[in-house]
Every structure is written in C-alpha cells, then in structure tokens.
Amino acid sequence: MRPTRDEETFMGHHLALSTLPAWFVVLPDTDAAVPVARRAADYATRIVRHESGRPWLLGRWEESGSPALARAGNTRIAVFGEHEVTAAEAERAAAHARRSEAHLDRLVATWRGSFHVIASSPRGVRVQGSVVGLRRVFHASPAASGRTAVCLAADRADIVAELSGAELDERQVALQLLTSGVPHPLGGAPLWRGVHTVPGGHRLLIREDGPSTYRWWRAPQPTVGLDTGARILGEELVDAVKLRARGRSLVSADLGGLDSTAICSAAAGTGTPVAAYTAGVHDEAGDDVYWAERTVGSLHGVEHHVIRAGGTPMTFAGIATQADILDTPTIIAVDRARRMDIIERAAKRGSALHLTGLGGDELLAGSPARLHELLPRAPLHALRTVRGFAAKYHWSHVRVAAQLLDRGSYRSWLARTARDLTTPPAGPDEPLLDWAGRPRMPTWATPDAVLAARSLLLEGLGTVQPRGPGHGEHRELVAMDGISQWCRHIGQMAAPHSLTVSAPYYDHRVIEAALSVRIQERITPWRYKPLIVEAARGIVPESSRTRDTKANATYEEEAGLRRHRSELLQLCEDSRLARLGLVDEATLRRWCERALAAETESYQLHPTVACEVWLRARETPAMPPTRTVDPGRVT
C-alpha cells in the first residue's frame, strides 16, 4: 500500500502555495530558515521580519486581512483574523509576551473574536490558534524530510507539506475512510508524513531545541445558573457579531434555525445592512422559510432572500468536478454545491463577510453524555433526565444502562474501537452516552486500509488522553472540533470569492459562556435548547425566539443521490483511492449503484467521496512562481 510515483509527485508540488488566495507561514529567527523563506517568497505577497531582520511571517493576505502588529523591545507580536485588537492593545500584548508566555496567555484569554496569535521573542516563536478546530496551527519538524532543516508552522497543512517536502501518508488517508468520524486525537490530522497539528486550546513554541506544545485553555466548570449564563452568552454573541460587522457597508448571514436566527438578529442590531439567506427544503415539516419570514418582519435593515426548495442544488451535485484546494478532506464535499450556493449568491450581492450559525447545535444543546458527571451529584435528576432522552430518541434501555454504568477509560474505548472496525455499525437506537459513536470502516475498504487505520488508532494508545476529563465534555469538544473544521473548509471554499465565512459560536469567549452553565439546566430532553432561547431574549424577535423545530434535509440527500448517481459512479472510475490500495473499486461501485437510505446507508459514502474528491483536486497543475517579495539576504 504505497503511492505510485505520480501520487508522490502531485502531492509534493507547490499547488497550495501558488493557487491559494490567503495563507501564512511562520519561521523561527535562525539562519536555517533561509531556504524555506526563499521557497515561500516565490509565492508570497507579504513579508514581516523578526527583530533581527530575518523573515518571520510570509504569505498572501489582502490589506483588509493584515495582522495587527506591534513590538516591545526585542519582542514582536502579530494577530491575524477576526478581532478588535487595536495598535495600543497589540503593544500591550507584545509587552506581556516579553515578560512570559503565561502573561500573554492571560491577556489573550480576554480578547473577543477568532484569531491566530504569533509572537517572536528571545524565548522562541509562539504560534496559537483557537480552542477548537477553526483556527488551526500546523507544523513540521526538521526530520520531516531532507529538504527542511528547521521547524516551520502555518495556518494550513498543505503549506507546511509543500515547504517541507513532506510526502503523502497513505495510512492517514485510510483513516479518513472511517464512517461517523475519526476519533480524537486523530480527527482532522494532516495527511502528510512529518506534518503535525497543534491541539485546540494549545499553543506551539518553536525553540532552537525543537517544537513543543503547551495548553493555554481549559473548558470552564459548569457552575453558572441558566438565567445568568444566558445573559452572559447573549452579551458575548452580540459583541462577537459587532466586532465583525464594524465598519462594513453590508454583511450577509444564514437565516434558518434558531442558532443562525440569533446571529442574524444580532447583526441587524448593529445597524449594518444585512442580506439574509434562507434555503427551503422539500420536507413538508421543514419550516425554516416560515420562521425566517416571521423574523424578518420584526427586524430592521434586513434584506431577505428566500431560495425555494428546488432552487438550490441537491446533495452530491457536482462531486465529479470539484476542484477546491483544501488541506484535508471534508465530508462537506457531498453537500458542497448546496452550501456554496448561498455563499456565491452573497458574494455576488457584494458581501465580504458571511455569518453562519454553525456550532450552535453542539455548543447549546450539549451532550447527554454529560449525565455521567451529574449522576454522582444528583442521581435522581440524572436518571430522570436519561429516561427522558431514552423515550425521546427510542434508545435501547439495556444499552443505556450499559453505557451509563461503564467506567472504562477513553484509552480502553479507543482500543475496542480499533478492534471492532469491521463489525456492523450501531443502529439508530444507539444511546449517546459513550465517549463517542463507534466509527467503522466501510465494506469497500481493503484489508490493507483496515490494517492501516487500526495501526494508527493503536499507535499512540499508551499516552492518549480524552479531549475533556469526562465523557460529556470530551464528546462536546470533539464535536465542536469536527464541525468547526467543516466551517473552516467552507471558508477555504469561499476564499476565491473574496468572502470570509464567520462562525461566532466558535469564539472562545462564546464557548466559555455556554459551557459555564449548569448541566441540568443546559441539557434536557424536555426543552429545545433552553440556553439559546433565554440568551436570545432581547436579540431575536419574540415572535421567533421560542421556536422549537428544526428542518431536515433527508429528502435532498436521497433525491440527490438518485439524481447525481452518474457523478458518483464517475468517482469509481480510475479511483485514486483504489490506486493507493485503500478501496475495492468493484465493491464501491456496487454500493453506489444501490438505492440507499440517507440516515443509515448513504452517510457511509461521505468520507470516501471526501477523500476521492480531495485526491483528485490535488492533481490540479500548480501556477508558476511569481515572486513579489524579497526574503532579503540573511547572514
């Protein structure tokens, strides 16, 4: 199971460096970084230097996306992204960074928005992203390949891979075939050998002796009452939207469920004109359009665009011709045409910022697995609540008891998961009280692919730790990691349209406000997302605030599969995954020719389609170098 020379070649060229509209790379203050700086400078349009004059930050970014920069003595700081950091605040941050990493940690924790923080000081180079997977940091060590003798970091995995000469890791590709998601800590891992990711809530420090990661954020303890927590959450959401809308002549926004309604309503409250978009679905119970029109009728300054069912592409549309240059595969690929339809409409309308409600489900509804930690403290309430969830979702009472009483570690759960990769998947009545849903390899995965995925899951078993200390916090944070990466991928798809996709629910201060609320008040089977219902008071019109329904796009999935089956079958022709020895092409084709139920069968195709589309898109020819910055002579 090795890539051919063709695969090694197309994975190694400068595709991302030459074609992407926005990226940045971070280099340490050392002579060893000079060769990397020169390669990056062939494609970069911007450069920022260390105090020594050596290249520190190189990349492509528009003037509007320029980082906030400041210095204090021999320490420099840069802040990229959506933030409200002024020149004075950046100088203050540089002064904090000069004192210690902990001082800067405490200051950054108070900032609103979504951003990368990068500092250069005599201690080394610090690179920090977000607490979940939206603003990620990737790096390669000197041992990644013979081409690089220095640790470098970037906001995209493919940028690191291309600058370090890293090769495709077919074992990581095999792991991506798992249905129901790749388990923590391998979810969203780079697909190149020697390229690593910094976990959410951690920062990277590059020193002469190599890179290290340190935790700077932990989820808060859930001790705040619903009334107080909802008020704080509402204030944080409003402030998060304000800092993004400030100074703009127009913003666009999704207007569908209650989560996006809160974001759209907050945007309308800023006084900035808003273009809101609502997509209808064929399901007769899908009532997004009804509620959106009701909301807009009570807001000012909102221009409403309704896309009726049938007016937007269905699932699987365009999968045979997708060419987005993403740094990891994404199951958004199967729904790309539907999601990008609104993005493209907003860009044509003139919006440069699109607000989405992604993140609300995982953050606001929470995970019933939190009942594990509630059971010892309030057993009667916990048992009553779990009975409510079991009745609502038709869970097996035997499986509920087994999961609730299971005291096994995450390490033991991961070991069982690795062992059972080819057993039948759990049914729709599987409770949601375990560490995570058990992923499975699809039936078309080859024995080599199963072996590769299993070996990766077991490789770090001796040291693996859950994302949070208990089942519930772990499950919530892992879900936010996964969905925030979807948002990140949508942002990568939208970048060529000069439009930023913004997800305020993934700001760390918004996350903290929600997770601070007591479990028994945030997570309940008897009320629909009580936290956002209360937080939206005074933000969302009263006529819409207590909505307790959610649209379902199952018809779009099943009908889309029928309508676009020929495109799906095209991906089975000369499959790149088959070339790598990871899928049996004939078995995959037979599955694609079948009628599939959306909720129990069709979803198993999503990761495979994502990987196949990703591999094909990376065969796009790279553009020639067009050096516009000079890395300067380094002595």
Side-chain angles (χ1 to χ4, degrees):
M1 185 183 60
R2 291 284 298 167
T4 66
R5 183 157 301 277
D6 285 344
E7 274 93 36
E8 290 178 346
T9 299
F10 86 72
M11 281 300 186
H13 65 44
H14 291 166
L15 175 62
L17 287 164
S18 66
T19 60
L20 297 175
W23 53 269
F24 67 79
V25 62
V26 186
L27 299 176
D29 192 4
T30 172
D31 289 350
V34 175
V36 179
R38 288 176 177 157
R39 289 199 293 274
D42 282 341
Y43 303 96
T45 58
R46 307 275 180 172
I47 184 169
V48 182
R49 299 182 183 279
H50 288 284
E51 182 70 16
S52 67
R54 296 186 182 98
W56 173 33
L57 307 173
L58 295 97
R60 291 181 175 178
W61 57 82
E62 298 296 330
E63 191 63 38
S64 60
S66 294
L69 295 167
R71 58 186 292 181
N74 55 6
T75 298
R76 295 193 171 198
I77 194 162
V79 186
F80 283 92
E82 300 165 306
H83 58 81
E84 50 188 357
V85 177
T86 62
E89 182 68 1
E91 288 181 11
R92 182 180 172 217
H96 277 65
R98 190 182 184 193
R99 296 175 65 188
S100 73
E101 300 299 330
H103 277 84
L104 184 56
D105 285 344
R106 287 192 287 271
L107 179 61
V108 169
T110 68
W111 290 351
R112 291 185 171 89
S114 174
F115 42 79
H116 286 93
V117 178
I118 307 163
S120 170
S121 73
R123 291 189 302 278
V125 173
R126 166 191 176 126
V127 193
Q128 174 181 326
S130 55
V131 301
V132 291
L134 189 59
R135 303 270 177 183
R136 304 188 71 193
V137 176
F138 302 92
H139 64 99
S141 300
S145 74
R147 287 182 55 186
T148 295
V150 67
C151 179
L152 66 146
D155 62 332
R156 290 184 54 121
D158 46 9
I159 295 295
V160 173
E162 292 175 14
L163 287 173
S164 65
E167 297 178 349
L168 177 70
D169 187 343
E170 63 274 15
R171 290 198 308 160
Q172 290 286 357
V173 180
L175 192 68
Q176 300 302 312
L177 299 178
L178 284 171
T179 61
S180 302
V182 178
H184 170 81
L186 295 170
L191 271 61
W192 290 270
R193 295 185 184 91
V195 180
H196 311 283
T197 186
V198 177
H202 290 67
R203 50 178 164 80
L204 175 72
L205 186 62
I206 304 173
R207 295 176 293 206
E208 289 188 9
D209 59 350
S212 302
T213 58
Y214 302 88
R215 182 186 292 273
W216 71 273
W217 182 88
R218 292 183 186 274
Q221 290 297 309
T223 59
V224 179
L226 180 63
D227 291 344
T228 300
R231 176 181 55 79
I232 296 171
L233 175 61
E235 292 170 354
E236 291 293 347
L237 276 178
V238 167
D239 288 341
V241 172
K242 276 183 180 178
L243 76 85
R244 290 162 166 88
R246 186 177 296 120
R248 297 183 182 274
S249 59
L250 175 73
V251 299
S252 55
D254 294 331
L255 181 54
L258 185 56
D259 303 337
S260 61
T261 298
I263 297 297
C264 182
S265 298
T270 67
T272 301
V274 178
Y277 292 83
T278 305
V281 294
H282 288 85
D283 183 1
E284 292 182 359
D287 52 0
D288 278 356
V289 172
Y290 165 79
W291 285 103
E293 290 176 337
R294 188 168 175 167
T295 299
V296 170
S298 301
L299 295 174
H300 300 288
V302 176
E303 168 191 308
H304 194 203
H305 300 265
V306 174
I307 308 165
R308 299 292 175 181
T312 190
M314 288 191 172
T315 304
F316 293 104
I319 57 172
T321 56
Q322 288 183 30
D324 301 295
I325 308 303
L326 310 178
D327 61 349
T328 57
T330 177
I331 63 172
I332 290 296
V334 301
D335 216 25
R336 189 243 189 230
R338 282 180 57 77
R339 292 181 179 272
M340 288 302 294
D341 181 60
I342 285 179
I343 298 295
E344 291 166 2
R345 290 171 187 260
K348 289 178 182 177
R349 173 63 185 83
S351 173
L353 177 79
H354 187 80
L355 296 163
T356 176
L358 279 172
D361 282 340
E362 299 71 38
L363 179 65
L364 302 168
S367 170
R370 283 275 191 173
L371 295 172
H372 277 279
E373 58 195 278
L374 192 61
L375 190 61
R377 302 200 307 267
L380 293 179
H381 181 90
L383 291 173
R384 177 174 174 267
T385 303
V386 80
R387 283 198 299 268
F389 277 116
K392 183 175 182 178
Y393 296 117
H394 309 291
W395 291 347
S396 158
H397 289 282
V398 173
R399 296 291 298 141
V400 165
Q403 290 188 11
L404 199 59
L405 296 175
D406 184 6
R407 291 295 179 263
S409 67
Y410 180 66
R411 194 172 300 169
S412 64
W413 177 90
L414 196 59
R416 291 197 305 273
T417 296
R419 179 196 66 197
D420 297 339
L421 287 181
T422 57
T423 60
D429 63 342
E430 181 73 4
L432 304 177
L433 302 171
D434 211 342
W435 286 103
R438 292 281 183 86
R440 297 290 188 265
M441 290 296 278
T443 57
W444 50 86
T446 63
D448 280 350
V450 175
L451 182 63
R454 181 174 288 129
S455 67
L456 276 175
L457 291 174
L458 295 175
E459 206 165 77
L461 199 60
T463 58
V464 70
Q465 296 293 328
R467 186 70 164 87
H471 293 68
E473 184 178 314
H474 167 85
R475 193 155 187 157
E476 288 175 353
L477 291 176
V478 168
M480 284 187 266
D481 283 337
I483 306 301
S484 63
Q485 288 182 56
W486 290 8
C487 187
R488 180 173 173 269
H489 290 133
I490 295 170
Q492 291 178 1
M493 295 172 181
H497 298 281
S498 300
L499 187 147
T500 297
V501 176
S502 184
Y505 284 113
Y506 287 128
D507 290 6
H508 73 268
R509 289 190 48 150
V510 174
I511 291 173
E512 288 171 353
L515 296 186
S516 295
V517 175
R518 287 196 288 259
I519 296 167
Q520 56 267 48
E521 296 183 76
R522 179 168 66 97
I523 302 169
T524 172
W526 295 291
R527 290 187 64 190
Y528 180 75
K529 296 183 183 176
L531 180 54
I532 191 59
V533 170
E534 297 305 318
R537 196 182 297 275
I539 302 172
V540 172
E542 282 299 300
S543 58
S544 304
R545 185 178 62 84
T546 56
R547 175 188 176 183
D548 60 0
T549 60
K550 186 175 178 66
N552 186 301
T554 299
Y555 176 90
E556 277 67 19
E557 168 99 8
E558 293 182 345
L561 179 60
R562 292 193 299 272
R563 182 176 299 179
H564 301 291
R565 193 181 303 276
S566 62
E567 293 188 69
L568 188 60
L569 292 172
Q570 284 181 51
L571 295 182
C572 298
E573 298 292 337
D574 190 22
S575 164
R576 289 7 177 218
L577 288 166
R579 284 190 199 176
L580 293 174
L582 301 178
V583 305
D584 182 287
E585 202 170 270
T587 303
L588 177 59
R589 170 175 283 277
R590 285 195 296 272
W591 184 274
C592 294
E593 290 172 341
R594 293 176 46 202
L596 302 173
E599 295 184 355
T600 57
E601 295 178 311
S602 179
Y603 81 95
Q604 296 180 49
L605 281 170
H606 293 186
T608 299
V609 170
C611 290
E612 185 69 35
V613 165
W614 184 81
L615 289 168
R616 290 175 183 240
R618 298 205 71 84
E619 297 172 354
T620 305
M623 302 294 289
T626 54
R627 174 171 288 185
T628 57
V629 300
D630 184 354
R633 181 171 181 171
V634 179
T635 59

